[in-house]
Every structure is written in C-alpha cells, then in structure tokens.
C-alpha cells in the first residue's frame, strides 16, 4: 500500500474515514474543533457519551452522516504529553490498525517533512498483518487499500521525499516482522540466509553466504561450535551496499541470527523456549537496515553481517567445559550453552572489525537480564565511544524507539576470567546484560562500536504503543535514521 499526500481540507476529503490526533488537555489539537463544528457537535457528543479520555493510543470511531464527505471520523488519543512529530506516527499507526475501512485519511498536525515521514512509517506499521499461515478465507474482512496523509499546506519536495523515505522504512520494518514471525521449522539458518539474498541481491547489494564448511575453513570457530547441535547447517551472510558515488562513511551492522534457541544442552524450560523463534531479530533488523539504505541510495557504504544458526542439543552439540578458539585467536571456555548469542557475535564482530569501518553496530536479542533491567519496551545500548552513543540515542529519539544507555563496567570484567582458557563467556549471577556486553567488547578491537541488546522490544506478547504483538521490527527506524544523520539528513 502506498500512502499519498493531499492538501485538501479534511472536510472535503473523499475517503471512508478521516483520522485525527486528539490531546487530553483543554486544547484538543488543531483539527478537533473544526471537524466538530462541521458535524454540528457530533464529536463532542460522542466523546461525552463514551466518556472517551484521549489517553495515548486510545481510539474512538464515530460514524458521520453529514457535514463531511467522509462517512466516519477516527479519533486517536495522544494524552497530555508535549507535541512531537512522533505523534504523527502514533495517530497513523492506530488509525491504520483499527479503522476497518478501505480508504483512510490521516490528518497531520503540522505540515513538515518530519510529520510526513513519521506518519508514512506509522501507516505501513499499523496496517501490518501476519496471516500467511492461515488457510481460512478472510476476504470478507475489509483491508486498507488507500491512505491519504493530509497536510494543511502546499506540498513541497521535502514532504514528497519524506513520504517515500517513510514508505521505505515502513516496508523494511514489515519485512523484519515477517522474518521474526516466521515459524522456526520454515525459517532455518539456510532459509534466513536465502531470504537475505532474495531481499538484497535485486537491489544491487553484494551478497556472500558461507555454508558450514566455509564457516570452518574461513575461521569462525565459535559460530561453528554453536551450530554443532543442530541438523540444520549454520550460515554466515555478508551483505554489502556500495553507493554509486563516493561513500561519505563506512558502517558495519551485525545481527544475531539464532533461528531457534533451545538453550542447547543447558536446555531452557518450555516457558522460556516458547518464543525463541524471535532470537534472529537482530539479523532480521540488519537485513532491514541495509535494504533501506540501498533503496534510499544513502551515500554511505553499509555492511550487514549475519550469524545464522540454530542452538540445539543434538549428539554433536557443544558442551559446558568445552574450549574453542575464536576468530581473534583468544580461547573461550564454554560455561552455559544457552549463552550462545555472544559466541556467534564474537566471531562476526571480529570479522566486522577487520573491515575497518568508521563504526560498527550490533543488534542482538542477547540477554533476559536486559529485560530485567529495562523492561519489555526498551533496548539496552552499550558503546565504547561517547560521540557515537550520543548520535545513536539522538537517532532513536527521532525514530520513536526507546534505547537506554548501559555502562560497560570495567570492574565486572574479572567475572569472565577463566582458569583453563583466555576467557569464559559468562559472568556471575549479577549484571548479566553488562557482562555479555563486556564479553563482546573483547572482539571489537579499536572499532567504534554500539551494542544494542533488543531482547525486550524485538518481540512482544501483546501490542504496545506503535508496536504490534509478535515481531516488531525494532531497531530498523533508528538504524536508518542514524545513517541519514551521518550524511546530514
Ligand atoms: N536468546 C536468549 C536471550 C533472550 C531471553 C532473548 C528472553 C529474548 C527473550 C539468550 O541466548 C540467552 O539464553 N541468554 C541467557 C544467558 C545466560 C545463560 C547467561 C539468559 O539471558 O538467560
Ligand atoms: Mn540462549
Ligand atoms: Zn539466544
């Protein structure tokens, strides 16, 4: 679905329903009063009747008989917070999610590129469904076909560019959600690698895929070790987007691609294992970011490195007590086979550092401990460079995604000391997200680096704010925004 722009009045817009954002304070926003007057007080009446509070994300659908060309109004609550462009994302998402019409108008509170961009991302995200595994005919359901973003001013080139960029980011987010929601019997490491190829190669992105033998031969011993317990072969994927002109910067993204994490021999409980198809969300986000960068033709060289593997307990499985070399040479003592993500990332980060990029960003559903620290909706952000951390957090703010800076506490490093090898891969009981990040830091050398622990927000049990249940596509909007910020976008 392609949202379009219009500077038509919301009263005359030829759609089935118009959606507006409404604040909970005394001033309800620029459009409420105008639409209320046009419908002779219908909105005020409905709000009072339903005792609708305009809480953030709360939706009220009101059928309209006269006063507007549209046959309905959708009110989306914005609460009492200060207005930002992210509100446009909230309004568009909830309207697209709940409108149950074919043609929808979304009225923006401000006529600028930032609002258009956020709304376009929201429309695509809100209309997202994962129903490819349902055989029942659902053609009776009304599907959104057309969305018009209404800007109360003449449309300029910046708004058109923002519309297209928002659409590109929104499509990447939906692709990532699909990959995360795919069942792990279908989305094996091989299938994930092939999906990366299918999504990227047609855009002129170079794609290199290593099978098990090549992973071994080309020196990724830790990735290979994690893959031993599965009948499904691991894959390493290197995506490379090179812009046509001179690249103004070179950035490497790394993604954890565990298509299923049973815990291995240190097996998880049934409850812990239930959603572990989501453990490739970092790899999926990486594909989404590289793809968007290519479609936006950003003047940045962008690499995507994916460690795709399944953590199982077959008879060749790696065990606690095993010692393996790493790509860097450092030997690693295995303590807990469920701490597999950091092993995979260690080799892939070392490979990334060899590319000598300006910076390297990894996304990984790495630790339950990060969810204990920050809850379900916020990612942990670690960085070895203050400027890079600030830039990344600023990109996240614009993109409407929550990250919280976490500390790389040097005094926890000693918990990774091993008696038999150079390092062990888990620390003690406390600070589990931090010690995981400290382990990763051992493999990035002097590369400026961000580690995003997305265990919480990558996959949700129920919808929250603009995110749906299941795979969310978390990280894509921020990653793309960060790349744009590097080139003054
Ligand atoms: N994939 C999990 C982390 C995870 C947990 C992601 C919940 C999403 C939701 C990771 O591989 C893992 O099992 N981590 C262990 C590490 C521990 C054994 C040191 C954990 O967090 O318990
Ligand atoms: Mn695990
Ligand atoms: Zn895992």
């Amino acid at each position: 679905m392609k949202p379009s722009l219009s500077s038509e009045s919301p009263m005359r817009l030829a759609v089935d329903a118009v959606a507006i954002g409404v604040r909970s304070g005394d001033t309800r926003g620029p459009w409420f009063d105008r639409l209320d007057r046009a419908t002779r007080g219908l909105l005020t009446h409905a709000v009072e009747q339903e005792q609708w509070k305009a809480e953030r994300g709360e939706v009220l659908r009101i059928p309209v008989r006269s006063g507007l060309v549209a046959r309905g109004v959708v009110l989306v609550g914005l609460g009492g917070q200060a207005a930002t462009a992210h509100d446009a994302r909230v309004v568009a998402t909830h309207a697209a999610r709940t409108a149950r019409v074919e043609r929808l108008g979304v009225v923006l509170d401000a006529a600028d590129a930032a609002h258009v961009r956020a709304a376009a991302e929201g429309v695509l995200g809100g209309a997202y469904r994962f129903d490819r595994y349902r055989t029942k005919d659902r053609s009776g359901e009304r599907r959104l076909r057309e969305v018009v973003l209404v800007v109360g001013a003449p449309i300029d080139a910046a708004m058109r560019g923002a519309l297209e960029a928002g659409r590109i980011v929104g499509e990447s987010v939906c692709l990532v959600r699909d990959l995360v929601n795919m069942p792990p019997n279908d989305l094996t490491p091989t299938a994930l690698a092939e999906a990366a190829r299918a999504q990227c190669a047609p855009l002129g992105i170079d794609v290199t895929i290593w099978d098990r033998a090549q992973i071994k031969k080309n020196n990724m011993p830790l990735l290979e070790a994690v893959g031993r317990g599965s009948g499904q072969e691991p894959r390493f994927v290197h995506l490379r987007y090179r812009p046509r002109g001179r690249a103004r910067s070179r950035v490497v993204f790394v993604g954890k691609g565990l298509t299923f994490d049973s815990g291995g021999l240190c097996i998880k409980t049934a409850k812990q294992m239930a959603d572990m198809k989501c453990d490739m969300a970092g790899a999926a986000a990486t594909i989404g970011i590289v793809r968007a960068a290519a479609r936006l033709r950003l003047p940045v060289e962008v690499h995507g490195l994916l460690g795709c593997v399944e953590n199982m307990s077959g008879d060749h499985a790696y065990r606690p007590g095993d010692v393996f070399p790493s790509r860097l040479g450092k030997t690693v003592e295995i303590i807990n086979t469920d701490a597999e993500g950091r092993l995979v990332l260690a080799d892939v980060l070392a490979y990334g550092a060899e590319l000598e990029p300006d910076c390297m960003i990894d996304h990984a559903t790495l630790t339950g401990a990060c969810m204990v620290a920050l809850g379900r909706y916020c990612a942990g952000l670690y960085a070895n460079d203050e400027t890079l951390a600030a830039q990344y957090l600023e990109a996240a703010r614009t993109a409407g995604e929550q990250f919280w800076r976490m500390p790389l506490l040097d005094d926890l490093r000693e918990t990774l000391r091993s008696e038999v090898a150079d390092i062990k891969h888990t620390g003690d009981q406390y600070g589990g997200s931090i010690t995981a990040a400290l382990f990763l830091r051992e493999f990035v050398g002097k590369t400026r680096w961000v580690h995003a622990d997305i265990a919480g927000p990558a996959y949700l049990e129920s919808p929250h704010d603009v995110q749906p249940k299941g795979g969310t596509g978390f990280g894509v909007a921020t990653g793309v925004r960060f790349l744009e910020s590097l080139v003054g976008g």
Side-chain angles (χ1 to χ4, degrees):
M1 189 230 329
K2 287 194 176 192
S4 59
L5 291 171
S6 165
S7 39
E8 177 65 276
S9 129
M11 276 64 88
R12 284 195 298 271
L13 197 68
V15 290
D16 301 315
V18 256
I20 60 168
V22 182
R23 307 202 154 269
S24 57
D26 294 339
T27 45
R28 294 189 159 277
W31 291 104
F32 185 90
D33 289 342
R34 272 180 263 188
L35 287 174
D36 197 37
R37 253 179 276 126
T39 57
R40 293 207 223 99
L42 181 70
L43 303 195
T44 313
H45 180 74
V47 164
E48 278 166 13
Q49 188 84 15
E50 301 291 326
Q51 301 192 350
W52 188 73
K53 300 283 187 301
E55 274 164 30
R56 210 165 169 82
E58 209 188 350
V59 173
L60 182 61
R61 293 186 296 141
I62 306 167
V64 174
R65 285 172 189 281
S66 62
L68 311 179
V69 175
R71 308 320 287 161
V73 171
V74 180
L75 304 182
V76 179
L78 289 171
Q81 288 155 263
T84 68
H86 179 59
D87 293 345
R89 195 178 282 110
V90 173
V91 172
T93 305
H94 287 96
R97 197 185 277 170
T98 57
R100 286 180 230 159
V101 296
E102 290 187 355
R103 296 172 311 158
L104 174 70
V106 177
V107 187
L108 306 189
D109 283 0
D112 65 34
H115 282 74
V116 170
R117 165 78 172 259
E121 291 179 15
V123 165
L124 274 93
Y128 176 77
R129 302 281 181 278
F130 185 70
D131 48 17
R132 66 169 80 173
Y133 282 87
R134 312 188 100 150
T135 56
K136 202 170 67 185
D137 182 19
R138 290 150 75 90
S139 54
E141 272 180 29
R142 258 190 219 127
R143 293 295 293 261
L144 204 52
R145 289 183 195 288
E146 189 191 325
V147 179
V148 185
L149 304 179
V150 183
V151 291
I155 296 158
D156 60 24
M159 289 184 212
R160 280 197 202 93
L163 178 74
E164 179 64 7
R167 214 162 60 76
I168 287 170
V169 171
E171 282 178 10
S172 263
V173 167
C174 292
L175 163 68
V176 175
R177 290 175 181 176
D178 275 346
L179 290 171
V180 173
N181 289 332
M182 286 271 287
N185 58 324
D186 280 351
L187 196 82
T188 59
T190 313
L192 177 54
E194 288 308 325
R197 192 204 302 280
Q199 291 296 332
C200 293
L203 296 172
I205 298 166
D206 293 336
V207 182
T208 307
I209 301 180
W210 292 351
D211 62 15
R212 195 199 291 271
Q214 289 166 306
I215 288 169
K216 240 176 165 163
K217 190 177 105 222
N218 294 315
N219 192 27
M220 291 202 174
L222 293 173
L223 170 52
E224 197 267 321
V226 171
R228 284 185 189 179
S230 172
Q232 296 292 337
E233 277 206 22
R235 289 287 184 271
F236 168 70
V237 181
H238 183 164
L239 308 170
R240 179 170 41 203
Y241 157 65
R242 264 183 294 206
R244 281 190 181 279
R246 201 184 70 83
R248 311 241 296 270
S249 186
R250 296 175 66 244
V251 181
V252 169
F253 285 89
V254 167
K256 171 177 173 181
L258 267 287
T259 60
F260 187 71
D261 178 12
S262 71
L265 286 171
C266 306
I267 197 161
K268 290 179 183 291
T269 63
K271 196 163 167 271
Q272 289 171 331
M273 210 187 290
D275 289 330
M276 278 303 134
K277 68 173 184 181
C278 80
D279 214 16
M280 35 58 70
T286 302
I287 297 170
I289 291 166
V290 177
R291 203 172 179 277
R295 290 183 67 199
L296 290 165
R297 297 173 201 271
L298 296 180
V300 183
E301 183 175 315
V302 186
H303 296 253
L305 310 178
L306 322 176
C308 308
V309 52
E310 187 179 47
N311 188 21
M312 300 291 271
S313 52
D315 54 4
H316 297 291
Y318 80 133
R319 339 157 173 73
D322 282 354
V323 174
F324 296 100
S326 59
R327 182 176 185 83
L328 256 194
K330 259 183 240 207
T331 55
V332 179
E333 180 191 2
I334 304 306
I335 304 297
N336 185 324
T337 62
D338 197 11
E340 83 299 335
R342 64 196 74 182
L343 298 171
V344 172
L345 290 177
D347 279 347
V348 179
L349 286 168
Y351 177 103
E354 290 162 23
L355 300 173
E356 298 183 352
D358 296 307
C359 62
M360 177 154 67
I361 322 293
D362 78 69
H363 289 88
T365 46
L366 202 62
T367 65
C370 195
M371 299 174 69
V372 173
L374 298 175
R376 294 177 192 279
Y377 310 125
C378 182
L381 181 138
Y382 294 85
N384 61 1
D385 183 281
E386 298 307 304
T387 314
L388 179 61
Q391 255 178 319
Y392 217 80
L393 289 170
E394 176 57 22
R397 204 183 55 78
T398 314
E401 294 185 320
Q402 278 187 283
F403 287 74
W404 192 261
R405 179 91 185 264
M406 296 282 283
L408 286 157
L409 299 173
D410 285 313
D411 41 2
L412 296 188
R413 170 62 179 78
E414 67 189 32
T415 67
L416 299 175
R417 225 179 273 150
S418 164
E419 298 286 323
V420 298
D422 296 335
I423 189 170
K424 61 191 179 77
H425 72 139
T426 58
D428 64 19
Q429 176 184 10
Y430 299 114
S433 171
I434 298 171
T435 51
L438 289 172
F439 179 81
L440 298 182
R441 188 178 67 175
E442 298 288 316
F443 299 89
V444 302
K446 295 223 178 319
T447 310
R448 296 166 73 230
W449 160 69
V450 161
H451 158 53
D453 191 332
I454 59 170
Y459 192 89
L460 297 180
E461 269 171 30
S462 50
H464 174 75
D465 190 40
V466 297
Q467 304 293 22
K469 175 183 160 77
T472 59
F474 186 93
V476 171
T478 300
V480 174
R481 185 68 222 134
F482 169 72
L483 291 172
E484 292 174 313
S485 76
L486 291 178
V487 292

